Amino acid sequence: MKATGIVRRIDDLGRVVIPKEIRRTLRLREGTPLEIFTDREGEIILKKYSPMMELNAFAGQYADAMAQSTGLMVCITDRDQVIAAAGGAKKELYQKPISKQLEHVIQERTTVQAGKDDRNYTPVANEDIEGVTAQVVAPIICEGDAIGAVILMSREPRIKFGDGELRLASTAAGFLGRQMES
């Protein structure tokens, strides 16, 4: 654990203010759910809560199955990071923070179908993947909230994704959203 040198007092309602610099660095916004842990030494640990983490192993298997059957790269994200990757993208993307552009696409519940040179192309992580020529991004909606995305990508030259890939990503996103509801 890294000390910040910042000290805060608990107010009369039991609240502690998390400093703005830390909220900005960790991408904590008003309404961001936090999970609270304690350890044996009396430390309190706050961790961003992601409902998608409950599906982490399942999402990994799902991404693997989609990648094997389609030959495409598949990523599944929550609102903060890539929680599953398959089809040649795992080393480059797994557990990497998502890009601000992808965060915006998820927040706006936008489905994106783009080629690498298109204006609406959305990098998955801050360090973009080499050689991606086409992508489809479908937001995962659970109980009315956008909680992540399913992303299909290809490195095939001159490929254009059509309705089939769009429907596949949307179906996967819908399925994962319903899994979270049950």
Side-chain angles (χ1 to χ4, degrees):
M1 211 170 353
K2 188 167 71 171
T4 63
I6 301 170
V7 176
R8 293 286 193 245
R9 297 194 184 283
I10 297 174
D11 72 8
D12 58 338
L13 296 175
R15 297 176 295 199
V16 177
V17 174
I18 300 171
K20 186 176 187 175
E21 306 82 43
I22 293 173
R23 291 192 319 261
R24 187 179 315 123
T25 302
L26 298 177
R27 294 170 142 174
L28 298 173
R29 293 177 292 283
E30 182 179 327
T32 299
L34 298 174
E35 204 166 2
I36 303 170
F37 299 91
T38 59
D39 67 9
R40 291 189 178 132
E41 288 82 43
E43 294 177 326
I44 297 171
I45 300 155
L46 300 176
K47 184 178 175 188
K48 282 169 87 170
Y49 173 73
S50 169
M52 288 292 290
M53 286 311 229
E54 296 171 18
L55 283 182
N56 205 353
F58 179 76
Q61 293 170 350
Y62 198 81
D64 285 338
M66 285 180 65
Q68 285 177 359
S69 66
T70 63
L72 300 172
M73 293 182 289
V74 179
C75 289
I76 300 173
T77 75
D78 62 12
R79 291 181 62 118
D80 296 308
Q81 69 178 344
V82 177
I83 63 166
K90 189 166 190 159
K91 290 178 189 166
E92 297 167 285
L93 292 174
Y94 183 61
Q95 293 187 327
K96 293 280 194 307
I98 65 171
S99 68
K100 292 277 189 196
Q101 298 95 316
L102 181 55
E103 190 177 341
H104 181 73
V105 164
I106 293 169
Q107 186 176 329
E108 295 297 316
R109 302 161 188 244
T110 309
T111 300
V112 174
Q113 182 177 352
K116 177 69 173 175
D117 299 325
D118 293 347
R119 187 175 49 86
N120 61 343
Y121 176 82
T122 307
V124 176
N126 292 327
E127 307 97 35
D128 200 16
I129 307 174
E130 290 256 340
V132 172
T133 56
Q135 75 171 182
V136 172
V137 179
I140 300 170
I141 310 295
C142 175
E143 295 177 351
D145 294 328
I147 61 169
V150 173
I151 302 136
L152 302 179
M153 296 172 288
S154 177
R155 287 187 168 131
E156 292 291 320
R158 295 182 299 278
I159 193 169
K160 294 277 188 202
F161 281 164
D163 287 342
E165 290 85 4
L166 186 64
R167 281 196 302 271
L168 178 61
S170 297
T171 300
F175 178 75
L176 291 169
R178 282 190 288 290
Q179 287 295 71
M180 289 301 303
E181 291 172 358
S182 56

